[in-house]
Structures are given as C-alpha cells and as structure tokens.
Amino acid sequence: MSEEKKSTVRAAERALDILLCFVDEGSLGMMEIAERTGLNKSTVFRLLATLEGKGFVKRDAETDKYQLGFRIWELATSLNQSDEPAVLFLPEMERLRDELDETVSLYLRIGKERIRIQAVESKQAIRRVAPVGARMPLSVGASSKVLMAYAGEEDVQELLADPSWPDNVDRGVFQEQLKRIREDGYAISVEEREAGTAAVSVPIFSRQGRLVAALAVSGPVSRMNVKKMVQFVPRLKESAQRMGKMVRA
C-alpha cells in the first residue's frame, strides 16, 4: 500500500474513532475527544472540522462541545425497515424537546381529522397534552392548519362544506390563514382547541416534496406567548427538514 493510501486509511480510522466517542456520551469537548482517542489536539481539530462540514457532528457555540449531527440519523434510518414516521422521527423529537423544553408532537391527517401519532412530553411540571392516538378537528389548532394548508384545494373545500364545521370559525378567515401559512411556512395557535394552551407547527416534507406530517411544539400560554413561538420556528424548521430526509418515498 502506498504512503498516500495509508495516510487516507489512517484519517478514516481516526474520524471513525471520534464518532465512536459519542456512543456513551451525548456531547464532548475537543480536549475530551483527544483524551479518549489518544490523538493530538490539532489532528482532532482538523477531523472535527471535516466531520462538521459533512454534517456528522455539530458544535454548540455556547458550550463549545460537539454532538452527533443529522447525517448520522439519515444513515441510521437505512438500517430501519420501517418508514413509520412515529418510529423514524422519535430521536429528533426528543432532541427538540430537550432543546426547547416543551412538548413535541407529530400529527397526520386522517379524513377530516388529525391524529396525534407520536409525542415527547415536556419535563416541566406544568404541561397539558392530548394522548397519542387522540383525534382532533381540522378546523382549529396550529397543526390542523398546517395539514390543511398543504392539502389539495378539493380537500379544503370539502372540509369547509362539511356540516360539522363549527359556527364560531369563519371560513373566509380560515382560508386566509392557510394562505399565510404557505407563505410563512408555519402556524401558531393560542387557546384555539383548548383553553390555556398554545402551539406552533411546521410541515414535514419528504425529499420528493410530499407532505408527511405536521411537527408541533406546545405548552401553557404562561410560557408559550407568540413572540417565543416565533423564536422557536427556525429550530422547528431545521428538525422538520432533517425528518423529511429520513423518509424514503
């Protein structure tokens, strides 16, 4: 084997050793990685920069520590024969819950209702969420509006014409809200479905552009005001994008 090939193989082995450091740890600093791998600091620095550039690790600017990146989750899904969103998206939902410290939910549209197919509850003492499997109307709530905003026009008109449409929800306002959601890429609701609760939701699209589900973060209005929910949007969109890449079709 030539010296150039030996050097390339060594670099690959060292990069893999760095990734293996995260098997038992969620986040590590550069010096911790150097100690665990036995590599010098400059080598670890170069390899981390390469891994970060490819999305296999990410650095937290506040703590200056590294975590596994979204590419790891994309590779992991290739080992999983299930395309079920509730299974595929759970690790990313847990990470989102830990970062935002609020409940994270996943919704699908089934006929004229939405169903909560997965949830990771907030660790805070005060929280109120519907159970997994709960069915809710599509006329109210951030996730309902996200699911309808990206549905076909025929489905929207069928929903608006349904006799069960609530009298207190203006159809014209609802349609304007759907238009705004398509422009902004997110929806917010405050005490629409249940008093005292608020939520912000974004769509999850597959690589082919198919709407897969609605991703939502919810909590009590005492913590979830509109300003805070808008601040959550970029992080939700990042998670939704990663989730979409996990879906094969």
Side-chain angles (χ1 to χ4, degrees):
M1 184 182 294
S2 68
E3 288 302 315
E4 184 179 352
K5 288 183 178 178
K6 286 181 181 179
S7 178
T8 301
V9 171
R10 259 197 315 272
E13 288 177 343
R14 290 169 174 173
L16 291 172
D17 286 340
I18 288 175
L19 292 177
L20 289 172
C21 288
F22 295 94
V23 170
D24 298 315
E25 296 289 342
S27 62
L28 291 165
M30 187 174 69
M31 290 304 299
E32 292 174 302
I33 295 171
E35 291 173 3
R36 287 168 180 255
T37 58
L39 300 173
N40 63 58
K41 189 167 64 173
S42 61
T43 298
V44 172
F45 178 80
R46 290 197 308 271
L47 291 172
L48 282 172
T50 300
L51 290 169
E52 185 178 14
K54 293 292 185 179
F56 287 99
V57 298
K58 65 176 184 177
R59 186 179 71 87
D60 187 315
E62 294 185 3
T63 64
D64 201 28
K65 289 195 172 186
Y66 292 83
Q67 300 176 345
L68 292 177
F70 69 93
R71 291 290 183 189
I72 294 294
W73 300 114
E74 290 182 14
L75 289 175
T77 58
S78 297
L79 298 175
N80 194 330
Q81 297 304 308
S82 172
D83 283 331
E84 174 59 47
V87 176
L88 290 178
F89 300 161
L90 185 57
E92 181 65 29
M93 292 176 67
E94 289 175 339
R95 290 202 300 170
L96 189 62
R97 183 274 312 275
D98 292 343
E99 183 173 337
L100 302 183
D101 205 20
E102 297 292 353
T103 296
V104 180
S105 303
L106 195 67
Y107 293 95
L108 294 181
R109 181 167 69 93
I110 306 295
K112 296 177 182 178
E113 296 177 309
R114 63 173 158 119
I115 182 170
R116 193 172 190 242
I117 65 167
Q118 184 60 281
V120 182
E121 290 195 14
S122 167
K123 295 178 181 178
Q124 301 206 52
I126 300 176
R127 61 186 187 273
R128 173 67 179 93
V129 294
V132 171
R135 292 175 178 267
M136 306 165 203
L138 288 170
S139 54
V140 293
S143 293
S144 290
K145 292 173 185 176
V146 163
L147 291 170
M148 292 311 300
Y150 298 96
E153 183 61 26
E154 184 177 335
D155 291 336
V156 174
Q157 293 304 320
E158 184 178 349
L159 178 67
L160 294 173
D162 192 278
S164 65
W165 183 268
D167 294 334
N168 63 335
V169 179
D170 185 276
R171 290 175 173 82
V173 172
F174 184 82
Q175 287 180 290
E176 284 299 315
Q177 289 174 333
L178 299 189
K179 180 181 177 183
R180 180 67 181 271
I181 292 166
R182 288 190 290 270
E183 294 172 353
D184 296 340
Y186 69 92
I188 283 176
S189 62
V190 179
E191 297 187 297
E192 286 189 12
R193 187 184 63 82
E194 183 178 2
T197 62
V200 54
S201 180
V202 300
I204 300 173
F205 295 106
S206 70
R207 298 185 189 192
Q208 290 72 35
R210 176 178 64 86
L211 178 64
V212 177
L215 175 67
V217 172
S218 60
V221 293
S222 58
R223 294 196 304 264
M224 297 272 289
N225 57 42
V226 172
K227 181 179 179 180
K228 187 172 184 179
M229 287 190 284
V230 171
Q231 292 174 344
F232 283 171
V233 170
R235 184 63 187 86
L236 263 73
K237 288 184 175 180
E238 289 176 9
S239 286
Q241 186 176 30
R242 284 198 283 269
M243 290 175 179
K245 291 180 179 179
M246 297 177 187
V247 180
R248 295 189 182 121

